[in-house]
Every structure is written in structure tokens, then in C-alpha cells.
Amino acid sequence: MSIEGAGVLASYDHATSHLSVWTSTQAPHLIRDGLSECLGILESNITVTAPDVGGAFGPKVQLHPEEIIVAYVATTFKCPVKWIQDRREHLMTGFHARDIHVEAHLAVDENGHILGLRARALCNVGAYSSFPFSCALEPQTIGVGLTGPYRVPHYAYEGLAIATHRCPTGAYRDVGLPLCPLITEVLLDRLAHRIGQDPSEIRRRNLIPTSALPMRNPAGALYDSGDYHQLLETALKRADYDHIREQQHVQSQTQFRLGIGISCFVELTAMNRAVFRARGMTSIPGFDSALIRISRDGSIEAYISTPSQGQNQKTTFGRLLSNALESDGDQIRIVLGDTAVTPYGSGTFASRSLVSGGGALLMAAEKLKNKLRRVASLLWQVDIQQVGFSRGDIYLLDNSNRRLSILEIGEIVHSARYEFPNDWEPGLEARASYDPPEVPVSCATHIAVVEVDITTGNVHFKRYIVAEDCGPLVDSEVVDGQIRGSVAQAIGSTLYETISYTSHGQPLNTTLQDYLIPNALDIPLVQITHLQTPSPFSYAGHKGVAESGTIGGPAAIVNAVADALGVHAGHIEMPLTPEQIATMYQAHQPRPTT
């Protein structure tokens, strides 16, 4: 039975009363929870499998009506049912996001130090609330991250979820957080223009110093670690900021205007049980789990509750486990996305996989290492404290030549060759669940350098710089891929993408011919520099990174375009289409006198 090209496939086995569902989801256990509740079927009689289908970016974490309907039809008629959605149907009826109007005010002293920030967000949440996040997702998330990496002594925020007759809204990569630097960073650029200071200097004056961390922001989010000033200076140096300013002066009277935009921001990752409970999103457990099993031949299988959505999880988790057990990566098999075999957990969203799923995997690996040491201590009749673990071998601390490999212990444990005490638990398995004690916070500075044609409004990227701190890197290529991909999405949401409606609520752009996305020629080379500051609150110091570009990108791009046009007042409406950019420029030109 093939799911290739399918949206949802369900099959019901009447003999066993078991429902099997294959669906493109980021949270198979949560989808199973929802199906169980809606259909009245025990969770143990439902299997949800998320095949390797590529990107998801948030919309696939919600429980869709079609998943319920297809499962219901399969159980009612006792036959396999397959439902396919084409792109047009998805654009018309899928979960939408970011139809948000924000009004914000920044208070400062005469030297440009922030005194207070006040904002009000009106979020169009559509006709229905989504499961499991609810319609409060966007307005709540904006309020938590709005102050960014800055010292803000006084803060007031009001977020409203407004029901309309449009499509329901749901998670879309970084959910609400792109609005945070978009608001704060634009206000800071306007402040710099107002008081005659360079935008970089305004940020230096207001960034939180490293000595103040960890600290809670005015909304209660705990900033754990990082060096916001160093990130800014690293990005400025990599961009050759002063030289760009000199070039900008030379081009100031030409058709092609040069602009540079800065965005300093934080990314709240791997939200935990306490956060979801506080938000009222009680259907999300907030933790993830892992199970590791060593077979008789020494091969290792790891089952993790966070499914892959195209971000190389098998590679990353394999390397993480290989490093933890100091074993050959070829011996390791990673299994994801199947509720029949993987332990229960929240799933893959909000940059949580490495922190929560990886944390559970490392905890299980530590338990397994202790179990391997326990086996050796029983065989050698010594205390477990006299047994060490190094380079994948278990050895006697007093005699390093006395060693056992994982393969040898696998053969010993899975046979009756040796006698073990009655309190010994047979087999080589370890399981762990991990709920991060606090939310790890990544941080970064993005700098966009653009050239804007003031006659056509077209934007061309000259350079794009990222200085990123997501904690210790497990696989730098995977991390860089996440950053570059999310920057591409930021370019799309800032300059191209929008859902347009008629006054009667009919969508106008329902194909990729009229719903514009950037192509390869629109994406610049993203130059990335990494700082690695471990979080004191995650199991191995890891932080998330998957949504970094989509958070910081829009603010950097908007500021760069405004800088090129010399526009530092009025409201901003995205996407910044060529027509809108040309109109913005003309509206701020001095009127001829008569």
C-alpha cells in the first residue's frame, strides 16, 4: 500500500480492530491523541506513521479535519481510504498564518536608551481554533519575545485573537516571533535616524550585557546564555559595515540605492511542559522520549519521538549517539515517526528536536553506558565504580588492558553463557524522557545589504551575513542548512508571499503562478559565523536553530530597504512588493514648489 503523493492514508483491520494512519505530520503521537478522542478508539488500537516526506514548517503539526474524516471512513467501511490534496486546495483551505496588525511605541531618553515599549497586536485567527495549539498561539508568542535581546525597563503588551470567516491560523515556522524583531528593530532604526546616530550604535547602547545573564525578560522568558554584543560586532565586521556606509554615500544620487539593515534577536526554542501549561495548551505534553537497544551482534537501534521533516535528524541523532557511546556510526540505526515503535512525545516543531529529543537520547545513552559497566562489573566481580567507559569499550580502571567491547557484551547478555544475580535486568535497553527545565534561547545578528532600484522597486541582495549562537554544534552542515533555508523563507515572506482575498472572502491567488515564492536566483549567499555558548539549562547545552532565519530575516531586509530609500517614518505593510517599494520612495520625496 503506497502513500506516495497522498495527503492521508488510513486502513482498518477489522479482525484486530486496529486503525493504521499514514499522514504527513510533525507530531504523530499528538495526531493519534486527537484521532482517539474524536473517533472513540483506544490509542493502543491506533498507529500513526509519518513517512519521510520532506518539509513541514508548522502547518503539518495541527490535526487536520481530513485526517479525522479519512480515518472515520476507513473504520466505518472497513476498507483502506486514501485522500489527496493538491496545491490549489491547500492554498485555499490549509492553515494560514501571520495576518497580524501591530501598533507599537518606543520610549527612550535623550541618549537613545530604551525606557519602555508598548505594543498591541490584532491577530486574525480565522474561523476555527486549531488543535493542539489553539487560536492563542500567535498573540501569545509575540508578547513573549517582543523585547528581544534588549534592556527594556517598562513593557506593556496586549494581544487579541480575532475570529473571522477566513481559514484558521496555525503554526508556521517560528510562529509570531518574526514580528518581534520586525517591530523592535524597525523602531530602533527610526530612533537612530531621529537622534542622528548610526543604527549599530543604538543597538550597542541597549543590548543586554553578558554579565546580566541569565535573566528574565519583562514577559517572563528566561534568557540563559550568549553574548549579544559579540554577535553584533562579529556580524558588523564580517559585513565590512563601515565600507558599506561609504559606498552608500557614493551611490546616494544614482538609480540603484544601497541599503544595510541590522536585526538582533533571540529565538525561544524547545518549549517545555511548564510553558504549554501556562499557555493553556494542555494537549501538548512538552517532553520527548528516546529508547536505545543494543542487539546481540552489537548493532544499536534508537527510537525517538521527534519525527524528521527534512532536517537530517537521522544524521544528527546518529552522530549524537555515536559520540555518546563512542561507537561506529555505521552500527547505529535511527527510527522516527512511527507511534507503533517510538516512545511517546511532543514531536518536531518550535526548534525542539535536538534539545528535547536529543536530550532524551543522551539521557538514555548514559543509562545504557551504566548498564554496560554494570555487566562488566558483574563479570569481573568488582564494584561498578572500578569500571570505566572509553572509545566504545568497557575497561577496568586498575587494568586498562582488561576490556570488553559493546559487541562482546551484546553476545554475553543475549546468551545463557554467564550466570547473573536475580536482581539483574536482562537485555540491553534504556529509555528516557526529557522535559527541558527551562526554554533554551538561541541568539543571532543578521545583516542584509541590498540594492534597490528606485524606478522599479526591485530589490537585489548584495550580501547577507549571519552571526549565530545556537550552543554546541553537532553537525555544522545541518545547522548551516537550517539557517540558509530559513533565510530563504524570510525573503519569501518579506518580499513575495501573501494570500489575497476579495471583499467577499474568496482567495485570489491559489496557485504558485500567483502566490509568489523566491527562486534560486533571488537567494543570496548567506555567510555564517558561529559562536557556541552552551545553555546551562538543556541537557548538553544545546539550543534550537531551525527558525533563526525566519525570525531575524524580515527585520534585516525591511531595515535594509528602508535604509536604501531613506524612508524612516510611517507604517510598514508586508510583503514589500516592487510596487509598494516604488510608492514608498515616491511618497517621501519632497513635493515640487510652484
Side-chain angles (χ1 to χ4, degrees):
M1 192 179 300
S2 172
I3 189 177
E4 183 177 354
V8 184
L9 175 64
S11 177
Y12 185 74
D13 188 329
H14 182 65
T16 61
S17 301
H18 193 88
L19 172 66
S20 298
V21 177
W22 293 262
T23 182
S24 178
T25 180
Q26 299 168 238
H29 287 97
L30 301 189
I31 299 304
R32 187 187 67 178
D33 293 347
L35 292 175
S36 173
E37 183 174 346
C38 291
L39 302 178
I41 301 175
L42 292 175
E43 291 179 10
S44 58
N45 285 342
I46 302 175
T47 296
V48 174
T49 303
D52 292 330
V53 292
F57 309 116
K60 295 179 182 179
V61 76
Q62 281 88 200
L63 176 63
H64 293 73
E66 294 81 5
E67 290 168 317
I68 301 171
I69 293 168
V70 169
Y72 173 77
V73 173
T75 57
T76 300
F77 293 98
K78 311 296 190 294
C79 66
V81 179
K82 181 179 181 179
W83 171 79
I84 300 173
Q85 181 187 59
D86 62 28
R87 185 169 287 140
R88 182 172 183 271
E89 290 170 324
H90 183 71
L91 282 168
M92 291 177 63
T93 64
F95 286 96
H96 292 178
R98 298 180 187 166
D99 187 2
I100 303 169
H101 175 83
V102 180
E103 181 179 337
H105 303 268
L106 187 69
V108 298
D109 65 17
E110 64 276 10
N111 296 316
H113 294 106
I114 297 173
L115 299 177
L117 176 64
R118 182 176 71 240
R120 186 171 190 258
L122 306 179
C123 303
N124 176 4
V125 298
Y128 307 102
S129 189
S130 63
F131 175 89
F133 293 108
S134 84
C135 61
L137 183 60
E138 284 187 330
Q140 284 185 334
T141 306
I142 294 170
V144 173
L146 195 55
T147 59
Y150 299 105
R151 291 170 293 191
V152 181
H154 303 283
Y155 176 61
Y157 170 77
E158 181 183 18
L160 301 177
I162 301 174
T164 70
H165 62 314
R166 294 188 181 181
C167 287
T169 62
Y172 174 49
R173 201 170 187 174
D174 55 70
V175 186
L177 287 178
L179 271 292
C180 299
L182 186 61
I183 294 163
T184 308
E185 297 297 302
V186 168
L187 285 172
L188 288 175
D189 265 28
R190 292 180 179 176
L191 168 63
H193 176 74
R194 179 78 63 89
I195 67 175
Q197 292 287 334
D198 189 88
S200 62
E201 180 58 31
I202 288 297
R203 286 161 175 83
R204 289 189 184 101
R205 295 180 188 181
N206 289 285
L207 285 170
I208 297 168
T210 304
S211 59
L213 300 178
M215 64 163 285
R216 292 199 180 273
N217 76 1
L222 181 63
Y223 293 172
D224 49 5
S225 64
D227 191 329
Y228 307 142
H229 285 269
Q230 187 178 358
L231 287 168
L232 173 62
E233 300 303 333
T234 299
L236 291 172
K237 182 177 180 180
R238 186 81 186 269
D240 201 358
Y241 184 82
D242 293 336
H243 179 63
I244 296 294
R245 288 296 184 203
E246 293 172 3
Q247 286 184 304
Q248 189 176 34
H249 180 72
V250 173
Q251 290 186 217
S252 61
Q253 300 303 316
T254 68
Q255 175 183 341
F256 301 98
R257 303 292 173 84
L258 196 63
I260 185 166
I262 303 172
S263 175
C264 302
F265 63 94
V266 294
E267 178 187 358
L268 283 67
T269 71
M271 295 178 186
N272 59 14
R273 189 182 187 91
V275 168
F276 292 120
R277 185 174 64 251
R279 290 186 172 196
M281 301 173 185
T282 54
S283 297
I284 307 172
F287 65 85
D288 278 288
S289 306
L291 168 67
I292 308 174
R293 178 181 300 130
I294 297 179
S295 301
R296 182 187 182 102
D297 60 4
S299 60
I300 303 167
E301 291 180 311
Y303 303 83
I304 309 163
S305 64
T306 57
S308 180
Q309 48 174 316
Q311 73 271 53
N312 283 324
Q313 279 201 22
K314 289 186 177 180
T315 300
T316 302
F317 285 144
R319 179 165 296 182
L320 197 67
L321 185 56
S322 175
N323 292 339
L325 296 180
E326 303 175 47
S327 60
D328 187 348
D330 293 339
Q331 294 179 293
I332 295 174
R333 175 173 173 254
I334 303 294
V335 181
L336 309 167
D338 187 345
T339 63
V341 293
T342 59
Y344 189 82
S346 299
T348 296
F349 56 88
S351 299
R352 66 177 300 107
S353 298
L354 179 61
V355 177
S356 56
L361 182 65
L362 290 174
M363 290 174 67
E366 195 61 33
K367 290 182 180 180
L368 196 57
K369 286 166 65 175
N370 288 333
K371 196 164 189 178
L372 292 168
R373 291 171 59 230
R374 173 68 172 158
V375 172
S377 72
L378 292 172
L379 291 173
W380 294 333
Q381 296 183 349
V382 298
D383 188 270
I384 192 172
Q385 300 303 322
Q386 296 178 253
V387 179
F389 190 97
S390 175
R391 299 193 299 276
D393 288 347
I394 298 84
Y395 68 96
L396 193 61
L397 293 177
D398 294 339
N399 183 1
S400 60
N401 292 323
R402 196 167 187 183
R403 289 177 171 268
L404 289 169
S405 67
I406 291 179
L407 170 60
E408 290 172 318
I409 291 186
E411 291 176 339
I412 291 168
V413 169
H414 292 89
S415 71
R417 189 180 309 165
Y418 295 93
E419 181 180 356
F420 290 104
N422 292 333
D423 62 352
W424 161 251
E425 181 185 4
L428 284 176
E429 290 186 0
R431 176 174 180 157
S433 295
Y434 183 57
D435 177 22
E438 294 287 351
V439 175
V441 179
S442 296
C443 46
T445 294
H446 285 211
I447 294 181
V449 181
V450 303
E451 194 174 63
V452 180
D453 185 337
I454 59 174
T455 62
T456 65
N458 285 325
V459 177
H460 171 68
F461 285 89
K462 303 286 287 183
R463 298 188 67 189
Y464 200 100
I465 309 298
V466 173
E468 174 79 34
D469 185 349
C470 59
L473 302 181
V474 177
D475 189 314
S476 60
E477 290 186 1
V478 171
V479 171
D480 288 352
Q482 291 290 296
I483 293 172
R484 291 192 172 100
S486 57
V487 168
Q489 282 191 282
I491 293 171
S493 62
T494 308
L495 300 178
Y496 298 92
E497 298 177 43
T498 187
I499 294 285
S500 300
Y501 288 86
T502 68
S503 59
H504 298 289
Q506 294 299 315
L508 291 173
N509 48 344
T510 59
T511 72
L512 293 187
Q513 288 182 310
D514 42 25
Y515 181 89
L516 299 181
I517 59 174
N519 60 39
L521 297 179
D522 300 317
I523 310 301
L525 173 65
V526 180
Q527 299 171 278
I528 304 170
T529 301
H530 291 287
L531 278 67
Q532 300 184 55
T533 309
S535 170
F537 302 120
S538 65
Y539 187 78
H542 296 131
K543 309 175 187 178
V545 73
E547 299 159 311
S548 172
T550 28
I551 298 173
I557 298 166
V558 166
N559 278 342
V561 171
D563 186 54
L565 300 178
V567 176
H568 301 285
H571 76 281
I572 294 173
E573 184 175 343
M574 292 167 56
L576 294 178
T577 62
E579 295 83 359
Q580 185 179 342
I581 290 172
T583 301
M584 284 171 58
Y585 177 74
Q586 294 299 326
H588 287 83
Q589 295 310 296
R591 296 180 181 275
T593 58
T594 56

